[in-house]
Amino acid sequence: DVKVTQSSRYLVKRTGEKVFLECVQDMDHENMFWYRQDPGLGLRLIYFSYDVKMKEKGDIPEGYSVSREKKERFSLILESASTNQTSMYLCASTTGQSARREKLFFGSGTQLSVL
Amino acid sequence: DQQVKQNSPSLSVQEGRISILNCDYTNSMFDYFLWYKKYPAEGPTFLISISSIKDKNEDGRFTVFLNKSAKHLSLHIVPSQPGDSAVYFCAASFSGSRLTFGEGTQLTVNP
């Protein structure tokens, strides 16, 4: 079974702090994604990566950055946390083979509260 | 611009009856559609998918229907069980691109 592990289940941070959300997958997937889930808005893509050291902006990248130094690890960084970044953050991965790349495997999520 | 919309935030059905979850899309380039299920405190899990060359795909109690002319897909669960209570997200992509998700529908199946 594919396992996508997010380092924290709950996080509470203060406005202006730099926040790191870590994600590790164990299936040698090429593609990794960061989404946030908000009530009434569904899942919105923040950033994604199709390869090591490669990153692309998603639909809502403002206020975020990412790092992919190793294939299995994809980190989301909030440079200066703000209250509107309070959300559930979900990491996902999938194989690079196009026939199956849409079937994402998700981690359990990190509920971030910014006070 | 919300390209994938789930207009019903919630749906409540009785155990044993049919659950029908709906999803509409606006981008005619979408050629692959998926449904994910999400329980509280867990990440979404893949449920069922359909290619645009088909109009129906069935997997046990779950069937997805695609109406390309109406840009509409639906997920049927028959019979519904209490364990099906979850948030259901539809998603779409084209040419293997990244997924676009809908807002989600909270399904509650009452015993």
Side-chain angles (χ1 to χ4, degrees):
Chain A
D1 271 359
V2 175
K3 193 164 179 67
V4 180
T5 303
Q6 294 185 229
S7 55
S8 303
R9 184 70 186 95
Y10 297 98
L11 271 180
V12 180
K13 297 292 181 180
R14 296 208 173 272
T15 302
E17 278 193 76
K18 191 168 186 177
V19 181
F20 293 86
L21 302 182
E22 307 287 344
C23 176
V24 177
Q25 49 93 5
D26 66 358
M27 279 299 293
D28 201 37
H29 283 168
E30 290 83 359
N31 309 317
M32 297 189 74
F33 305 80
W34 275 105
Y35 288 87
R36 60 179 283 178
Q37 182 196 355
D38 300 288
L41 297 177
L43 301 176
R44 293 181 293 166
L45 182 62
I46 304 170
Y47 265 97
F48 60 104
S49 170
Y50 288 150
D51 201 353
V52 176
K53 296 193 185 296
M54 177 266 174
K55 60 185 178 184
E56 288 197 37
K57 293 180 180 179
D59 299 317
I60 51 165
E62 296 78 18
Y64 303 94
S65 62
V66 290
S67 171
R68 188 143 182 226
E69 296 295 319
K70 293 184 177 181
K71 189 175 185 180
E72 68 271 17
R73 186 179 298 270
F74 193 35
S75 303
L76 180 69
I77 303 155
L78 286 67
E79 297 290 343
S80 178
S82 63
T83 55
N84 63 10
Q85 292 178 310
T86 291
S87 186
M88 169 66 77
Y89 289 87
L90 292 160
C91 174
S93 72
T94 188
T95 178
Q97 299 176 42
S98 62
R100 295 191 296 273
R101 66 189 289 175
E102 295 94 346
K103 295 179 184 176
L104 301 180
F105 295 87
F106 283 88
S108 297
T110 296
Q111 180 62 53
L112 173 67
S113 296
V114 182
L115 306 178
Chain B
D1 176 27
Q2 188 71 20
Q3 297 187 65
V4 178
K5 282 200 68 64
Q6 295 175 254
N7 290 310
S8 298
S10 63
L11 175 68
S12 183
V13 299
Q14 284 299 119
E15 181 178 5
R17 305 296 290 269
I18 184 171
S19 296
I20 301 176
L21 295 96
N22 294 303
C23 180
D24 297 295
Y25 62 95
T26 58
N27 190 340
S28 58
M29 297 290 290
F30 287 141
D31 59 6
Y32 196 69
F33 304 88
L34 306 89
W35 286 92
Y36 283 81
K37 179 169 72 173
K38 185 182 185 300
Y39 292 118
E42 295 183 14
T45 54
F46 169 76
L47 185 59
I48 193 170
S49 63
I50 187 167
S51 165
S52 61
I53 62 173
K54 295 184 175 182
D55 54 18
K56 176 182 174 181
N57 188 27
E58 192 171 353
D59 183 3
R61 296 186 297 115
F62 302 91
T63 303
V64 57
F65 294 92
L66 176 63
N67 182 334
K68 288 187 292 293
S69 61
K71 295 191 179 67
H72 177 83
L73 67 155
S74 60
L75 174 68
H76 292 211
I77 306 173
V78 184
S80 301
Q81 299 173 355
D84 296 329
S85 298
V87 177
Y88 290 79
F89 292 99
C90 70
S93 75
F94 60 91
S95 300
S97 68
R98 65 198 202 202
L99 293 180
T100 299
F101 284 86
E103 302 93 330
T105 297
Q106 172 69 58
L107 173 66
T108 302
V109 180
N110 300 302

